[in-house]
Amino acid sequence: MMNRRELGAGEALIMVHGFAGGSGYWSPVAESFAEQFHVVMPDLPGFAGSTTIPVPETVQGFAAGLIKIMDKLAIEQCSLLGHSMGGMIALQAALDAPSRISRLVLYGTSCQAVIPDRYETLDETIARFETEGIDATIDRVVASWFVDYEMSPAYAACRAAAVGLTATTAIAAMTTMRPWNVCDRMSEIGVPTLVIGGDKDRSIPPQHFLNLWHGIPDSHLAVLPNCAHAVHLEEPALFTRFVGEFLSTGNVG
């Protein structure tokens, strides 16, 4: 079973971190959501407090792990928020177990893992892990998530969330994600969905947010200004306002 952190009480909100992250990644916003929700923040297999758990061979395997946590905690239905890679896993969970998800937040993510307009290809990042090692590569990856790169005040805390990640695990996770593409299945998402991200995202440029918004029938779009990939760290107040309003009412704005 994946390691997890829990805060608050009420309806369940599961928050799924992205690549090179962990449950600690949500610290700046978790307490705000915990005022209204039972917030569950798992560490995905291979990351943070779940480093002893092997990386699944499929995205469906990652998604199944979220459902197992729900079963363990006797959560019949939850709101599900996923960032980046975690958003892809959340999207897969919504496709695989639609009756278990009440609302879906897709944050800085896409319906496909291969992003042609990413700041570098997945294969290039994998090659960096192999040649430059874990620390130098993660330094670069995390810096790219901020408008001001490593000069962002939130960079150090975000980088700390990746402690414990190995190059082997990082490569395994990217290899698992690489073939994933559910863009032709967006019309199957039958729950209210918020698509949110930053207008300066280098990892998953905003066109991918638009593709989700156009493809998912009951969806809302929020593109926040002057933010890159880590919106909840660059503009936590804006992030919690938009996401909190959606989780409470099903609408934004």
Side-chain angles (χ1 to χ4, degrees), residues 2 16 44-47 54-68 85 88-90 92-93 172-174 176-177:
M2 285 181 278
V16 189
L44 291 172
F47 296 86
V55 172
E57 295 183 357
T58 64
V59 179
Q60 289 87 343
F62 273 117
L66 300 180
I67 304 303
K68 286 181 180 178
M85 184 181 90
M88 298 174 189
I89 294 166
Q92 186 66 54
M174 297 186 89
T176 290
M177 299 302 300

mmCIF file with all atom_site columns, all heavy atoms in Angstrom, residues 2 16 44-47 54-68 85 88-90 92-93 172-174 176-177:
data_model
loop_
_atom_site.group_PDB
_atom_site.id
_atom_site.type_symbol
_atom_site.label_atom_id
_atom_site.label_alt_id
_atom_site.label_comp_id
_atom_site.label_asym_id
_atom_site.label_entity_id
_atom_site.label_seq_id
_atom_site.pdbx_PDB_ins_code
_atom_site.Cartn_x
_atom_site.Cartn_y
_atom_site.Cartn_z
_atom_site.occupancy
_atom_site.B_iso_or_equiv
_atom_site.pdbx_formal_charge
_atom_site.auth_seq_id
_atom_site.auth_comp_id
_atom_site.auth_asym_id
_atom_site.auth_atom_id
_atom_site.pdbx_PDB_model_num
ATOM 1   N N   . MET A 1 2   ? 0.516   2.198  -0.820  1.00 0.00 ? 2   MET A N   1
ATOM 2   C CA  . MET A 1 2   ? 1.280   3.435  -0.912  1.00 0.00 ? 2   MET A CA  1
ATOM 3   C C   . MET A 1 2   ? 1.275   4.204  0.403   1.00 0.00 ? 2   MET A C   1
ATOM 4   O O   . MET A 1 2   ? 0.261   4.239  1.109   1.00 0.00 ? 2   MET A O   1
ATOM 5   C CB  . MET A 1 2   ? 0.692   4.330  -2.006  1.00 0.00 ? 2   MET A CB  1
ATOM 6   C CG  . MET A 1 2   ? 1.004   3.900  -3.421  1.00 0.00 ? 2   MET A CG  1
ATOM 7   S SD  . MET A 1 2   ? 0.277   5.053  -4.613  1.00 0.00 ? 2   MET A SD  1
ATOM 8   C CE  . MET A 1 2   ? -1.417  4.451  -4.705  1.00 0.00 ? 2   MET A CE  1
ATOM 9   N N   . VAL A 1 16  ? -3.001  13.911 -6.113  1.00 0.00 ? 16  VAL A N   1
ATOM 10  C CA  . VAL A 1 16  ? -1.966  13.039 -6.668  1.00 0.00 ? 16  VAL A CA  1
ATOM 11  C C   . VAL A 1 16  ? -0.839  13.892 -7.246  1.00 0.00 ? 16  VAL A C   1
ATOM 12  O O   . VAL A 1 16  ? -1.053  14.673 -8.180  1.00 0.00 ? 16  VAL A O   1
ATOM 13  C CB  . VAL A 1 16  ? -2.546  12.121 -7.764  1.00 0.00 ? 16  VAL A CB  1
ATOM 14  C CG1 . VAL A 1 16  ? -1.517  11.066 -8.170  1.00 0.00 ? 16  VAL A CG1 1
ATOM 15  C CG2 . VAL A 1 16  ? -3.836  11.457 -7.291  1.00 0.00 ? 16  VAL A CG2 1
ATOM 16  N N   . LEU A 1 44  ? 3.164   8.238  -4.768  1.00 0.00 ? 44  LEU A N   1
ATOM 17  C CA  . LEU A 1 44  ? 3.056   7.236  -5.816  1.00 0.00 ? 44  LEU A CA  1
ATOM 18  C C   . LEU A 1 44  ? 4.185   6.203  -5.704  1.00 0.00 ? 44  LEU A C   1
ATOM 19  O O   . LEU A 1 44  ? 5.257   6.507  -5.179  1.00 0.00 ? 44  LEU A O   1
ATOM 20  C CB  . LEU A 1 44  ? 3.099   7.912  -7.185  1.00 0.00 ? 44  LEU A CB  1
ATOM 21  C CG  . LEU A 1 44  ? 1.887   8.774  -7.543  1.00 0.00 ? 44  LEU A CG  1
ATOM 22  C CD1 . LEU A 1 44  ? 2.144   9.546  -8.833  1.00 0.00 ? 44  LEU A CD1 1
ATOM 23  C CD2 . LEU A 1 44  ? 0.619   7.917  -7.679  1.00 0.00 ? 44  LEU A CD2 1
ATOM 24  N N   . PRO A 1 45  ? 3.958   4.987  -6.185  1.00 0.00 ? 45  PRO A N   1
ATOM 25  C CA  . PRO A 1 45  ? 4.989   3.950  -6.117  1.00 0.00 ? 45  PRO A CA  1
ATOM 26  C C   . PRO A 1 45  ? 6.315   4.422  -6.716  1.00 0.00 ? 45  PRO A C   1
ATOM 27  O O   . PRO A 1 45  ? 6.357   4.945  -7.832  1.00 0.00 ? 45  PRO A O   1
ATOM 28  C CB  . PRO A 1 45  ? 4.395   2.816  -6.955  1.00 0.00 ? 45  PRO A CB  1
ATOM 29  C CG  . PRO A 1 45  ? 2.924   2.987  -6.811  1.00 0.00 ? 45  PRO A CG  1
ATOM 30  C CD  . PRO A 1 45  ? 2.709   4.480  -6.784  1.00 0.00 ? 45  PRO A CD  1
ATOM 31  N N   . GLY A 1 46  ? 7.387   4.252  -5.923  1.00 0.00 ? 46  GLY A N   1
ATOM 32  C CA  . GLY A 1 46  ? 8.718   4.662  -6.353  1.00 0.00 ? 46  GLY A CA  1
ATOM 33  C C   . GLY A 1 46  ? 9.124   6.048  -5.908  1.00 0.00 ? 46  GLY A C   1
ATOM 34  O O   . GLY A 1 46  ? 10.292  6.420  -6.034  1.00 0.00 ? 46  GLY A O   1
ATOM 35  N N   . PHE A 1 47  ? 8.167   6.830  -5.354  1.00 0.00 ? 47  PHE A N   1
ATOM 36  C CA  . PHE A 1 47  ? 8.430   8.221  -5.010  1.00 0.00 ? 47  PHE A CA  1
ATOM 37  C C   . PHE A 1 47  ? 8.269   8.466  -3.505  1.00 0.00 ? 47  PHE A C   1
ATOM 38  O O   . PHE A 1 47  ? 7.431   7.852  -2.845  1.00 0.00 ? 47  PHE A O   1
ATOM 39  C CB  . PHE A 1 47  ? 7.473   9.148  -5.777  1.00 0.00 ? 47  PHE A CB  1
ATOM 40  C CG  . PHE A 1 47  ? 7.647   9.111  -7.267  1.00 0.00 ? 47  PHE A CG  1
ATOM 41  C CD1 . PHE A 1 47  ? 6.994   8.159  -8.034  1.00 0.00 ? 47  PHE A CD1 1
ATOM 42  C CD2 . PHE A 1 47  ? 8.499   10.007 -7.902  1.00 0.00 ? 47  PHE A CD2 1
ATOM 43  C CE1 . PHE A 1 47  ? 7.153   8.123  -9.413  1.00 0.00 ? 47  PHE A CE1 1
ATOM 44  C CE2 . PHE A 1 47  ? 8.669   9.970  -9.273  1.00 0.00 ? 47  PHE A CE2 1
ATOM 45  C CZ  . PHE A 1 47  ? 8.006   9.023  -10.035 1.00 0.00 ? 47  PHE A CZ  1
ATOM 46  N N   . PRO A 1 54  ? 7.543   -1.048 -6.158  1.00 0.00 ? 54  PRO A N   1
ATOM 47  C CA  . PRO A 1 54  ? 7.951   -0.974 -7.561  1.00 0.00 ? 54  PRO A CA  1
ATOM 48  C C   . PRO A 1 54  ? 7.014   -0.090 -8.386  1.00 0.00 ? 54  PRO A C   1
ATOM 49  O O   . PRO A 1 54  ? 5.817   -0.019 -8.132  1.00 0.00 ? 54  PRO A O   1
ATOM 50  C CB  . PRO A 1 54  ? 7.878   -2.429 -8.032  1.00 0.00 ? 54  PRO A CB  1
ATOM 51  C CG  . PRO A 1 54  ? 7.908   -3.249 -6.790  1.00 0.00 ? 54  PRO A CG  1
ATOM 52  C CD  . PRO A 1 54  ? 7.252   -2.425 -5.731  1.00 0.00 ? 54  PRO A CD  1
ATOM 53  N N   . VAL A 1 55  ? 7.581   0.573  -9.365  1.00 0.00 ? 55  VAL A N   1
ATOM 54  C CA  . VAL A 1 55  ? 6.785   1.367  -10.306 1.00 0.00 ? 55  VAL A CA  1
ATOM 55  C C   . VAL A 1 55  ? 5.924   0.419  -11.138 1.00 0.00 ? 55  VAL A C   1
ATOM 56  O O   . VAL A 1 55  ? 6.427   -0.563 -11.685 1.00 0.00 ? 55  VAL A O   1
ATOM 57  C CB  . VAL A 1 55  ? 7.704   2.196  -11.225 1.00 0.00 ? 55  VAL A CB  1
ATOM 58  C CG1 . VAL A 1 55  ? 6.901   2.875  -12.322 1.00 0.00 ? 55  VAL A CG1 1
ATOM 59  C CG2 . VAL A 1 55  ? 8.477   3.224  -10.409 1.00 0.00 ? 55  VAL A CG2 1
ATOM 60  N N   . PRO A 1 56  ? 4.620   0.667  -11.236 1.00 0.00 ? 56  PRO A N   1
ATOM 61  C CA  . PRO A 1 56  ? 3.769   -0.196 -12.063 1.00 0.00 ? 56  PRO A CA  1
ATOM 62  C C   . PRO A 1 56  ? 4.209   -0.188 -13.524 1.00 0.00 ? 56  PRO A C   1
ATOM 63  O O   . PRO A 1 56  ? 4.820   0.779  -14.005 1.00 0.00 ? 56  PRO A O   1
ATOM 64  C CB  . PRO A 1 56  ? 2.374   0.424  -11.913 1.00 0.00 ? 56  PRO A CB  1
ATOM 65  C CG  . PRO A 1 56  ? 2.431   1.176  -10.625 1.00 0.00 ? 56  PRO A CG  1
ATOM 66  C CD  . PRO A 1 56  ? 3.838   1.700  -10.535 1.00 0.00 ? 56  PRO A CD  1
ATOM 67  N N   . GLU A 1 57  ? 3.861   -1.232 -14.227 1.00 0.00 ? 57  GLU A N   1
ATOM 68  C CA  . GLU A 1 57  ? 4.240   -1.339 -15.638 1.00 0.00 ? 57  GLU A CA  1
ATOM 69  C C   . GLU A 1 57  ? 3.273   -0.608 -16.549 1.00 0.00 ? 57  GLU A C   1
ATOM 70  O O   . GLU A 1 57  ? 3.562   -0.433 -17.737 1.00 0.00 ? 57  GLU A O   1
ATOM 71  C CB  . GLU A 1 57  ? 4.331   -2.812 -16.035 1.00 0.00 ? 57  GLU A CB  1
ATOM 72  C CG  . GLU A 1 57  ? 5.454   -3.559 -15.314 1.00 0.00 ? 57  GLU A CG  1
ATOM 73  C CD  . GLU A 1 57  ? 5.582   -5.000 -15.760 1.00 0.00 ? 57  GLU A CD  1
ATOM 74  O OE1 . GLU A 1 57  ? 4.751   -5.434 -16.607 1.00 0.00 ? 57  GLU A OE1 1
ATOM 75  O OE2 . GLU A 1 57  ? 6.502   -5.685 -15.292 1.00 0.00 ? 57  GLU A OE2 1
ATOM 76  N N   . THR A 1 58  ? 2.130   -0.193 -16.025 1.00 0.00 ? 58  THR A N   1
ATOM 77  C CA  . THR A 1 58  ? 1.135   0.527  -16.818 1.00 0.00 ? 58  THR A CA  1
ATOM 78  C C   . THR A 1 58  ? 0.563   1.679  -16.012 1.00 0.00 ? 58  THR A C   1
ATOM 79  O O   . THR A 1 58  ? 0.604   1.677  -14.775 1.00 0.00 ? 58  THR A O   1
ATOM 80  C CB  . THR A 1 58  ? -0.033  -0.393 -17.239 1.00 0.00 ? 58  THR A CB  1
ATOM 81  O OG1 . THR A 1 58  ? -0.729  -0.819 -16.058 1.00 0.00 ? 58  THR A OG1 1
ATOM 82  C CG2 . THR A 1 58  ? 0.467   -1.609 -18.019 1.00 0.00 ? 58  THR A CG2 1
ATOM 83  N N   . VAL A 1 59  ? -0.015  2.648  -16.715 1.00 0.00 ? 59  VAL A N   1
ATOM 84  C CA  . VAL A 1 59  ? -0.705  3.745  -16.039 1.00 0.00 ? 59  VAL A CA  1
ATOM 85  C C   . VAL A 1 59  ? -1.948  3.215  -15.328 1.00 0.00 ? 59  VAL A C   1
ATOM 86  O O   . VAL A 1 59  ? -2.315  3.704  -14.253 1.00 0.00 ? 59  VAL A O   1
ATOM 87  C CB  . VAL A 1 59  ? -1.055  4.860  -17.045 1.00 0.00 ? 59  VAL A CB  1
ATOM 88  C CG1 . VAL A 1 59  ? -1.795  5.997  -16.357 1.00 0.00 ? 59  VAL A CG1 1
ATOM 89  C CG2 . VAL A 1 59  ? 0.201   5.386  -17.715 1.00 0.00 ? 59  VAL A CG2 1
ATOM 90  N N   . GLN A 1 60  ? -2.560  2.196  -15.907 1.00 0.00 ? 60  GLN A N   1
ATOM 91  C CA  . GLN A 1 60  ? -3.703  1.573  -15.246 1.00 0.00 ? 60  GLN A CA  1
ATOM 92  C C   . GLN A 1 60  ? -3.294  1.018  -13.883 1.00 0.00 ? 60  GLN A C   1
ATOM 93  O O   . GLN A 1 60  ? -4.092  1.034  -12.934 1.00 0.00 ? 60  GLN A O   1
ATOM 94  C CB  . GLN A 1 60  ? -4.274  0.456  -16.127 1.00 0.00 ? 60  GLN A CB  1
ATOM 95  C CG  . GLN A 1 60  ? -4.994  0.942  -17.369 1.00 0.00 ? 60  GLN A CG  1
ATOM 96  C CD  . GLN A 1 60  ? -4.070  1.168  -18.565 1.00 0.00 ? 60  GLN A CD  1
ATOM 97  O OE1 . GLN A 1 60  ? -2.852  1.263  -18.409 1.00 0.00 ? 60  GLN A OE1 1
ATOM 98  N NE2 . GLN A 1 60  ? -4.663  1.241  -19.747 1.00 0.00 ? 60  GLN A NE2 1
ATOM 99  N N   . GLY A 1 61  ? -2.053  0.541  -13.771 1.00 0.00 ? 61  GLY A N   1
ATOM 100 C CA  . GLY A 1 61  ? -1.557  0.046  -12.494 1.00 0.00 ? 61  GLY A CA  1
ATOM 101 C C   . GLY A 1 61  ? -1.437  1.154  -11.464 1.00 0.00 ? 61  GLY A C   1
ATOM 102 O O   . GLY A 1 61  ? -1.777  0.964  -10.285 1.00 0.00 ? 61  GLY A O   1
ATOM 103 N N   . PHE A 1 62  ? -0.945  2.322  -11.900 1.00 0.00 ? 62  PHE A N   1
ATOM 104 C CA  . PHE A 1 62  ? -0.912  3.479  -10.997 1.00 0.00 ? 62  PHE A CA  1
ATOM 105 C C   . PHE A 1 62  ? -2.328  3.832  -10.532 1.00 0.00 ? 62  PHE A C   1
ATOM 106 O O   . PHE A 1 62  ? -2.572  4.088  -9.350  1.00 0.00 ? 62  PHE A O   1
ATOM 107 C CB  . PHE A 1 62  ? -0.324  4.690  -11.720 1.00 0.00 ? 62  PHE A CB  1
ATOM 108 C CG  . PHE A 1 62  ? 1.174   4.808  -11.678 1.00 0.00 ? 62  PHE A CG  1
ATOM 109 C CD1 . PHE A 1 62  ? 1.919   4.749  -12.847 1.00 0.00 ? 62  PHE A CD1 1
ATOM 110 C CD2 . PHE A 1 62  ? 1.837   5.022  -10.484 1.00 0.00 ? 62  PHE A CD2 1
ATOM 111 C CE1 . PHE A 1 62  ? 3.297   4.890  -12.817 1.00 0.00 ? 62  PHE A CE1 1
ATOM 112 C CE2 . PHE A 1 62  ? 3.206   5.175  -10.436 1.00 0.00 ? 62  PHE A CE2 1
ATOM 113 C CZ  . PHE A 1 62  ? 3.955   5.107  -11.612 1.00 0.00 ? 62  PHE A CZ  1
ATOM 114 N N   . ALA A 1 63  ? -3.266  3.883  -11.485 1.00 0.00 ? 63  ALA A N   1
ATOM 115 C CA  . ALA A 1 63  ? -4.644  4.268  -11.169 1.00 0.00 ? 63  ALA A CA  1
ATOM 116 C C   . ALA A 1 63  ? -5.284  3.268  -10.209 1.00 0.00 ? 63  ALA A C   1
ATOM 117 O O   . ALA A 1 63  ? -6.015  3.658  -9.291  1.00 0.00 ? 63  ALA A O   1
ATOM 118 C CB  . ALA A 1 63  ? -5.465  4.380  -12.448 1.00 0.00 ? 63  ALA A CB  1
ATOM 119 N N   . ALA A 1 64  ? -5.007  1.997  -10.395 1.00 0.00 ? 64  ALA A N   1
ATOM 120 C CA  . ALA A 1 64  ? -5.565  0.972  -9.516  1.00 0.00 ? 64  ALA A CA  1
ATOM 121 C C   . ALA A 1 64  ? -5.093  1.167  -8.081  1.00 0.00 ? 64  ALA A C   1
ATOM 122 O O   . ALA A 1 64  ? -5.826  0.878  -7.133  1.00 0.00 ? 64  ALA A O   1
ATOM 123 C CB  . ALA A 1 64  ? -5.186  -0.419 -10.022 1.00 0.00 ? 64  ALA A CB  1
ATOM 124 N N   . GLY A 1 65  ? -3.868  1.679  -7.916  1.00 0.00 ? 65  GLY A N   1
ATOM 125 C CA  . GLY A 1 65  ? -3.361  1.951  -6.577  1.00 0.00 ? 65  GLY A CA  1
ATOM 126 C C   . GLY A 1 65  ? -4.174  3.006  -5.853  1.00 0.00 ? 65  GLY A C   1
ATOM 127 O O   . GLY A 1 65  ? -4.355  2.933  -4.621  1.00 0.00 ? 65  GLY A O   1
ATOM 128 N N   . LEU A 1 66  ? -4.684  3.992  -6.584  1.00 0.00 ? 66  LEU A N   1
ATOM 129 C CA  . LEU A 1 66  ? -5.540  5.006  -5.968  1.00 0.00 ? 66  LEU A CA  1
ATOM 130 C C   . LEU A 1 66  ? -6.856  4.392  -5.487  1.00 0.00 ? 66  LEU A C   1
ATOM 131 O O   . LEU A 1 66  ? -7.346  4.715  -4.398  1.00 0.00 ? 66  LEU A O   1
ATOM 132 C CB  . LEU A 1 66  ? -5.827  6.133  -6.964  1.00 0.00 ? 66  LEU A CB  1
ATOM 133 C CG  . LEU A 1 66  ? -4.627  6.903  -7.504  1.00 0.00 ? 66  LEU A CG  1
ATOM 134 C CD1 . LEU A 1 66  ? -5.103  7.989  -8.475  1.00 0.00 ? 66  LEU A CD1 1
ATOM 135 C CD2 . LEU A 1 66  ? -3.805  7.527  -6.379  1.00 0.00 ? 66  LEU A CD2 1
ATOM 136 N N   . ILE A 1 67  ? -7.412  3.516  -6.278  1.00 0.00 ? 67  ILE A N   1
ATOM 137 C CA  . ILE A 1 67  ? -8.668  2.867  -5.893  1.00 0.00 ? 67  ILE A CA  1
ATOM 138 C C   . ILE A 1 67  ? -8.445  1.978  -4.668  1.00 0.00 ? 67  ILE A C   1
ATOM 139 O O   . ILE A 1 67  ? -9.302  1.889  -3.779  1.00 0.00 ? 67  ILE A O   1
ATOM 140 C CB  . ILE A 1 67  ? -9.252  2.068  -7.065  1.00 0.00 ? 67  ILE A CB  1
ATOM 141 C CG1 . ILE A 1 67  ? -9.439  2.983  -8.298  1.00 0.00 ? 67  ILE A CG1 1
ATOM 142 C CG2 . ILE A 1 67  ? -10.562 1.411  -6.666  1.00 0.00 ? 67  ILE A CG2 1
ATOM 143 C CD1 . ILE A 1 67  ? -10.314 4.189  -8.049  1.00 0.00 ? 67  ILE A CD1 1
ATOM 144 N N   . LYS A 1 68  ? -7.280  1.342  -4.595  1.00 0.00 ? 68  LYS A N   1
ATOM 145 C CA  . LYS A 1 68  ? -6.975  0.516  -3.422  1.00 0.00 ? 68  LYS A CA  1
ATOM 146 C C   . LYS A 1 68  ? -6.913  1.358  -2.154  1.00 0.00 ? 68  LYS A C   1
ATOM 147 O O   . LYS A 1 68  ? -7.362  0.924  -1.080  1.00 0.00 ? 68  LYS A O   1
ATOM 148 C CB  . LYS A 1 68  ? -5.650  -0.220 -3.636  1.00 0.00 ? 68  LYS A CB  1
ATOM 149 C CG  . LYS A 1 68  ? -5.730  -1.376 -4.614  1.00 0.00 ? 68  LYS A CG  1
ATOM 150 C CD  . LYS A 1 68  ? -4.383  -2.074 -4.746  1.00 0.00 ? 68  LYS A CD  1
ATOM 151 C CE  . LYS A 1 68  ? -4.469  -3.233 -5.740  1.00 0.00 ? 68  LYS A CE  1
ATOM 152 N NZ  . LYS A 1 68  ? -3.142  -3.899 -5.909  1.00 0.00 ? 68  LYS A NZ  1
ATOM 153 N N   . MET A 1 85  ? 2.028   14.253 -14.301 1.00 0.00 ? 85  MET A N   1
ATOM 154 C CA  . MET A 1 85  ? 1.919   12.805 -14.383 1.00 0.00 ? 85  MET A CA  1
ATOM 155 C C   . MET A 1 85  ? 0.770   12.310 -13.510 1.00 0.00 ? 85  MET A C   1
ATOM 156 O O   . MET A 1 85  ? 0.037   11.394 -13.883 1.00 0.00 ? 85  MET A O   1
ATOM 157 C CB  . MET A 1 85  ? 3.226   12.149 -13.952 1.00 0.00 ? 85  MET A CB  1
ATOM 158 C CG  . MET A 1 85  ? 3.243   10.644 -14.086 1.00 0.00 ? 85  MET A CG  1
ATOM 159 S SD  . MET A 1 85  ? 4.799   9.894  -13.532 1.00 0.00 ? 85  MET A SD  1
ATOM 160 C CE  . MET A 1 85  ? 4.404   9.612  -11.800 1.00 0.00 ? 85  MET A CE  1
ATOM 161 N N   . MET A 1 88  ? -2.467  12.611 -15.284 1.00 0.00 ? 88  MET A N   1
ATOM 162 C CA  . MET A 1 88  ? -2.687  11.529 -16.236 1.00 0.00 ? 88  MET A CA  1
ATOM 163 C C   . MET A 1 88  ? -3.199  10.286 -15.514 1.00 0.00 ? 88  MET A C   1
ATOM 164 O O   . MET A 1 88  ? -4.113  9.601  -15.997 1.00 0.00 ? 88  MET A O   1
ATOM 165 C CB  . MET A 1 88  ? -1.380  11.232 -16.976 1.00 0.00 ? 88  MET A CB  1
ATOM 166 C CG  . MET A 1 88  ? -0.869  12.407 -17.790 1.00 0.00 ? 88  MET A CG  1
ATOM 167 S SD  . MET A 1 88  ? 0.775   12.113 -18.516 1.00 0.00 ? 88  MET A SD  1
ATOM 168 C CE  . MET A 1 88  ? 1.151   13.765 -19.128 1.00 0.00 ? 88  MET A CE  1
ATOM 169 N N   . ILE A 1 89  ? -2.621  10.010 -14.349 1.00 0.00 ? 89  ILE A N   1
ATOM 170 C CA  . ILE A 1 89  ? -3.082  8.865  -13.549 1.00 0.00 ? 89  ILE A CA  1
ATOM 171 C C   . ILE A 1 89  ? -4.514  9.098  -13.071 1.00 0.00 ? 89  ILE A C   1
ATOM 172 O O   . ILE A 1 89  ? -5.346  8.183  -13.095 1.00 0.00 ? 89  ILE A O   1
ATOM 173 C CB  . ILE A 1 89  ? -2.115  8.643  -12.372 1.00 0.00 ? 89  ILE A CB  1
ATOM 174 C CG1 . ILE A 1 89  ? -0.740  8.208  -12.908 1.00 0.00 ? 89  ILE A CG1 1
ATOM 175 C CG2 . ILE A 1 89  ? -2.670  7.618  -11.391 1.00 0.00 ? 89  ILE A CG2 1
ATOM 176 C CD1 . ILE A 1 89  ? 0.370   8.273  -11.885 1.00 0.00 ? 89  ILE A CD1 1
ATOM 177 N N   . ALA A 1 90  ? -4.827  10.318 -12.643 1.00 0.00 ? 90  ALA A N   1
ATOM 178 C CA  . ALA A 1 90  ? -6.191  10.649 -12.220 1.00 0.00 ? 90  ALA A CA  1
ATOM 179 C C   . ALA A 1 90  ? -7.175  10.489 -13.373 1.00 0.00 ? 90  ALA A C   1
ATOM 180 O O   . ALA A 1 90  ? -8.290  9.976  -13.190 1.00 0.00 ? 90  ALA A O   1
ATOM 181 C CB  . ALA A 1 90  ? -6.233  12.071 -11.673 1.00 0.00 ? 90  ALA A CB  1
ATOM 182 N N   . GLN A 1 92  ? -6.848  8.489  -15.907 1.00 0.00 ? 92  GLN A N   1
ATOM 183 C CA  . GLN A 1 92  ? -7.024  7.057  -16.128 1.00 0.00 ? 92  GLN A CA  1
ATOM 184 C C   . GLN A 1 92  ? -7.950  6.453  -15.080 1.00 0.00 ? 92  GLN A C   1
ATOM 185 O O   . GLN A 1 92  ? -8.804  5.614  -15.395 1.00 0.00 ? 92  GLN A O   1
ATOM 186 C CB  . GLN A 1 92  ? -5.668  6.354  -16.090 1.00 0.00 ? 92  GLN A CB  1
ATOM 187 C CG  . GLN A 1 92  ? -5.735  4.869  -16.454 1.00 0.00 ? 92  GLN A CG  1
ATOM 188 C CD  . GLN A 1 92  ? -6.139  4.649  -17.898 1.00 0.00 ? 92  GLN A CD  1
ATOM 189 O OE1 . GLN A 1 92  ? -5.527  5.181  -18.813 1.00 0.00 ? 92  GLN A OE1 1
ATOM 190 N NE2 . GLN A 1 92  ? -7.187  3.862  -18.113 1.00 0.00 ? 92  GLN A NE2 1
ATOM 191 N N   . ALA A 1 93  ? -7.819  6.881  -13.830 1.00 0.00 ? 93  ALA A N   1
ATOM 192 C CA  . ALA A 1 93  ? -8.694  6.383  -12.770 1.00 0.00 ? 93  ALA A CA  1
ATOM 193 C C   . ALA A 1 93  ? -10.151 6.743  -13.053 1.00 0.00 ? 93  ALA A C   1
ATOM 194 O O   . ALA A 1 93  ? -11.065 5.941  -12.802 1.00 0.00 ? 93  ALA A O   1
ATOM 195 C CB  . ALA A 1 93  ? -8.260  6.937  -11.420 1.00 0.00 ? 93  ALA A CB  1
ATOM 196 N N   . ALA A 1 172 ? 12.107  4.359  -14.948 1.00 0.00 ? 172 ALA A N   1
ATOM 197 C CA  . ALA A 1 172 ? 11.011  3.389  -14.988 1.00 0.00 ? 172 ALA A CA  1
ATOM 198 C C   . ALA A 1 172 ? 9.658   4.090  -15.086 1.00 0.00 ? 172 ALA A C   1
ATOM 199 O O   . ALA A 1 172 ? 8.781   3.669  -15.854 1.00 0.00 ? 172 ALA A O   1
ATOM 200 C CB  . ALA A 1 172 ? 11.054  2.497  -13.745 1.00 0.00 ? 172 ALA A CB  1
ATOM 201 N N   . ALA A 1 173 ? 9.478   5.166  -14.321 1.00 0.00 ? 173 ALA A N   1
ATOM 202 C CA  . ALA A 1 173 ? 8.211   5.895  -14.353 1.00 0.00 ? 173 ALA A CA  1
ATOM 203 C C   . ALA A 1 173 ? 7.976   6.530  -15.721 1.00 0.00 ? 173 ALA A C   1
ATOM 204 O O   . ALA A 1 173 ? 6.863   6.465  -16.270 1.00 0.00 ? 173 ALA A O   1
ATOM 205 C CB  . ALA A 1 173 ? 8.190   6.956  -13.259 1.00 0.00 ? 173 ALA A CB  1
ATOM 206 N N   . MET A 1 174 ? 9.006   7.137  -16.276 1.00 0.00 ? 174 MET A N   1
ATOM 207 C CA  . MET A 1 174 ? 8.846   7.770  -17.587 1.00 0.00 ? 174 MET A CA  1
ATOM 208 C C   . MET A 1 174 ? 8.609   6.735  -18.673 1.00 0.00 ? 174 MET A C   1
ATOM 209 O O   . MET A 1 174 ? 7.847   6.970  -19.624 1.00 0.00 ? 174 MET A O   1
ATOM 210 C CB  . MET A 1 174 ? 10.081  8.620  -17.903 1.00 0.00 ? 174 MET A CB  1
ATOM 211 C CG  . MET A 1 174 ? 10.289  9.768  -16.929 1.00 0.00 ? 174 MET A CG  1
ATOM 212 S SD  . MET A 1 174 ? 11.640  10.883 -17.374 1.00 0.00 ? 174 MET A SD  1
ATOM 213 C CE  . MET A 1 174 ? 10.744  12.049 -18.397 1.00 0.00 ? 174 MET A CE  1
ATOM 214 N N   . THR A 1 176 ? 7.068   3.836  -18.203 1.00 0.00 ? 176 THR A N   1
ATOM 215 C CA  . THR A 1 176 ? 5.675   3.406  -18.038 1.00 0.00 ? 176 THR A CA  1
ATOM 216 C C   . THR A 1 176 ? 4.720   4.404  -18.676 1.00 0.00 ? 176 THR A C   1
ATOM 217 O O   . THR A 1 176 ? 3.756   4.027  -19.353 1.00 0.00 ? 176 THR A O   1
ATOM 218 C CB  . THR A 1 176 ? 5.338   3.255  -16.543 1.00 0.00 ? 176 THR A CB  1
ATOM 219 O OG1 . THR A 1 176 ? 6.025   2.120  -16.027 1.00 0.00 ? 176 THR A OG1 1
ATOM 220 C CG2 . THR A 1 176 ? 3.838   3.072  -16.320 1.00 0.00 ? 176 THR A CG2 1
ATOM 221 N N   . MET A 1 177 ? 4.979   5.695  -18.467 1.00 0.00 ? 177 MET A N   1
ATOM 222 C CA  . MET A 1 177 ? 4.058   6.720  -18.951 1.00 0.00 ? 177 MET A CA  1
ATOM 223 C C   . MET A 1 177 ? 4.105   6.880  -20.471 1.00 0.00 ? 177 MET A C   1
ATOM 224 O O   . MET A 1 177 ? 3.090   7.222  -21.094 1.00 0.00 ? 177 MET A O   1
ATOM 225 C CB  . MET A 1 177 ? 4.385   8.070  -18.292 1.00 0.00 ? 177 MET A CB  1
ATOM 226 C CG  . MET A 1 177 ? 4.266   8.102  -16.777 1.00 0.00 ? 177 MET A CG  1
ATOM 227 S SD  . MET A 1 177 ? 2.629   7.660  -16.133 1.00 0.00 ? 177 MET A SD  1
ATOM 228 C CE  . MET A 1 177 ? 1.599   8.920  -16.892 1.00 0.00 ? 177 MET A CE  1
#
